[in-house]
């Protein structure tokens, strides 16, 4: 049985089977712990029990694609998650090219349906600190509107972050998604929260992915999030991606559609600035 009142060092010892020698807090929720065999592990304390379970299941599912690099999961119980520490390096064009190829391989590994949770992961998961429900669907436009756009729009309206008359433009975009979504694609295995902060450029010369909100979805959503918040050498990431899994015609015109989900999540978490960006993005998508 785990003891939820213990600290990072005790969690690391319990989940790795090694003695903890040193503990270095990095934030209120994250610490480095040095083990007696010389390894350093990352110990995260999640706010909710399902948050840690979702992250652990997501990392294992992405690793199972045998394409991208993700930290090893040593264990998870209760609020605690213990993973490998990745030594940090600097972005390079070569690493970005390899990342693009790896992302394509991860996406091609697929998912049972849009909205599928990773094996062992909860239905009620998280993206960052926001709840994210994994409900399966067969049709991407309908699923995306119902389970990735409208829930966050409703929350933003209820919170007063988006005014009721403003919401209409996003509702109109959802109604038009079948015509705007491009060619039908099979569900991809998504990282799900692929902004630049979750791409760790390692000292080994490779890019590593951390902190997923993994689920089955449309592959263009991961790439749209990289565009939204920027990524070093993004042109090389895309070049590597297309070498393995060419994108459907018109994909760049659909970036705004896929950015609406993370923008609304950020509106719910961080307020009006992101709400205004979501509204302008929806208007631009409707005008294409």
């Amino acid at each position: 049985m785990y003891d939820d009142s213990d600290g990072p060092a005790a969690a690391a010892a319990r989940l790795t089977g090694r003695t903890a020698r040193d503990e270095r807090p990095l934030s209120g929720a994250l610490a480095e712990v040095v083990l007696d065999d010389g390894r350093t592990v990352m110990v995260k304390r999640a706010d909710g029990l399902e948050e840690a379970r979702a992250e652990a299941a997501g990392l294992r599912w992405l690793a199972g694609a045998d394409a991208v690099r993700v930290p090893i999961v040593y264990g998870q119980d209760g609020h605690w998650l213990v993973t490998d520490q990745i030594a940090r390096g600097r972005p390079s064009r070569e690493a970005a090219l390899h990342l693009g190829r790896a992302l394509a391989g991860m996406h091609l590994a697929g998912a049972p349906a849009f909205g599928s949770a990773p094996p062992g992961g909860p239905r009620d998961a998280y993206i960052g600190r926001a709840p994210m429900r994994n409900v399966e669907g067969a049709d991407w436009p309908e699923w995306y509107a119902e389970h990735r756009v409208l829930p966050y729009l409703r929350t933003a309206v209820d919170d007063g972050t988006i005014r009721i008359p403003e919401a209409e433009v996003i509702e109109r975009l959802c109604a038009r998604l079948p015509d705007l979504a491009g060619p039908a694609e099979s569900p991809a295995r998504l990282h799900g929260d692929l902004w630049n902060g979750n791409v760790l450029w390692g000292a080994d010369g490779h890019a590593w992915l951390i902190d997923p909100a993994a689920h089955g979805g449309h592959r263009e959503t991961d790439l749209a999030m990289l565009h939204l918040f920027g990524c070093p050498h993004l042109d090389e990431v895309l070049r590597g991606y297309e070498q393995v899994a060419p994108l459907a015609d018109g994909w760049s015109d659909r970036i705004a559609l896929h950015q609406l989900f993370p923008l609304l999540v950020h509106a719910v978490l961080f307020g009006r600035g992101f709400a205004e960006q979501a509204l302008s993005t929806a208007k631009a998508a409707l005008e294409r």
Side-chain angles (χ1 to χ4, degrees):
M1 292 291 291
Y2 66 88
D3 178 1
D4 194 40
S5 65
D6 62 8
R14 183 175 63 251
L15 292 170
T16 64
R18 308 295 308 194
T19 300
R21 296 299 190 195
D22 188 27
E23 176 184 321
R24 297 190 290 265
L26 302 177
S27 69
L30 193 64
E32 294 178 340
V33 174
V34 181
L35 303 176
D36 60 357
D37 60 2
R39 284 179 297 162
T40 300
V41 296
M42 303 299 292
V43 183
K44 178 185 286 188
R45 190 187 191 282
D47 286 340
L49 300 176
E50 297 294 68
E51 186 178 343
R53 185 160 74 95
E55 184 172 342
L59 286 169
R60 290 177 173 130
W61 193 45
L62 299 186
D66 198 25
V68 294
R69 287 173 166 80
V70 298
I72 295 169
V73 177
Y74 289 113
Q76 176 270 322
D77 64 18
H79 291 269
W80 297 106
L81 174 66
V82 179
T83 65
D84 240 355
Q85 181 204 52
I86 307 301
R88 292 179 179 269
R90 296 178 62 83
S92 70
R93 298 190 71 82
E94 182 179 5
L97 182 68
H98 290 158
L99 173 61
R101 294 170 181 161
L103 287 175
M106 179 186 78
H107 290 161
L108 289 171
F114 299 110
S116 292
R123 174 187 174 105
D124 291 310
Y126 291 83
I127 177 166
R129 294 298 177 89
M132 184 185 77
R133 175 161 288 183
N134 288 316
V135 179
E136 294 191 351
D139 177 71
W140 183 79
E142 179 181 352
W143 170 84
Y144 183 67
E146 184 175 353
H147 300 293
R148 289 297 180 265
V149 175
L150 293 177
Y152 301 97
L153 176 62
R154 295 186 193 107
T155 300
V157 169
D158 290 344
D159 292 344
T161 307
I162 292 178
R163 293 181 283 274
I164 291 175
E166 293 176 320
E168 187 266 343
V169 67
I170 294 175
E171 292 168 344
R172 279 197 293 122
L173 180 61
C174 286
R176 288 195 56 198
L177 274 174
D179 299 325
L180 299 174
E185 296 210 5
S186 300
R189 188 171 306 196
L190 296 192
H191 177 281
D193 193 9
L194 196 59
W195 71 289
N196 181 49
N198 287 339
V199 179
L200 196 159
W201 303 92
D204 61 358
H206 295 289
W208 295 70
L209 304 187
I210 60 172
D211 296 345
H215 61 278
H218 197 301
R219 63 192 179 126
E220 291 176 11
T221 302
D222 268 352
L223 301 180
M225 194 174 289
L226 283 180
H227 280 82
L228 180 59
F229 296 111
C231 177
H233 309 302
L234 183 55
D235 57 335
E236 287 297 290
V237 175
L238 295 172
R239 187 165 75 89
Y241 192 99
E242 296 242 48
Q243 288 173 355
V244 176
L247 292 158
D249 289 346
W251 71 269
S252 60
D253 294 332
R254 295 187 291 272
I255 289 174
L257 298 179
H258 294 272
Q259 289 179 340
L260 194 56
F261 164 46
L263 283 171
L264 286 169
V265 170
H266 278 70
V268 168
L269 291 175
F270 304 116
R272 180 65 187 177
F274 285 105
E276 291 173 351
Q277 195 172 349
L279 292 166
S280 63
T281 295
K283 290 176 186 175
L286 282 169
E287 291 168 0
R288 284 195 175 275

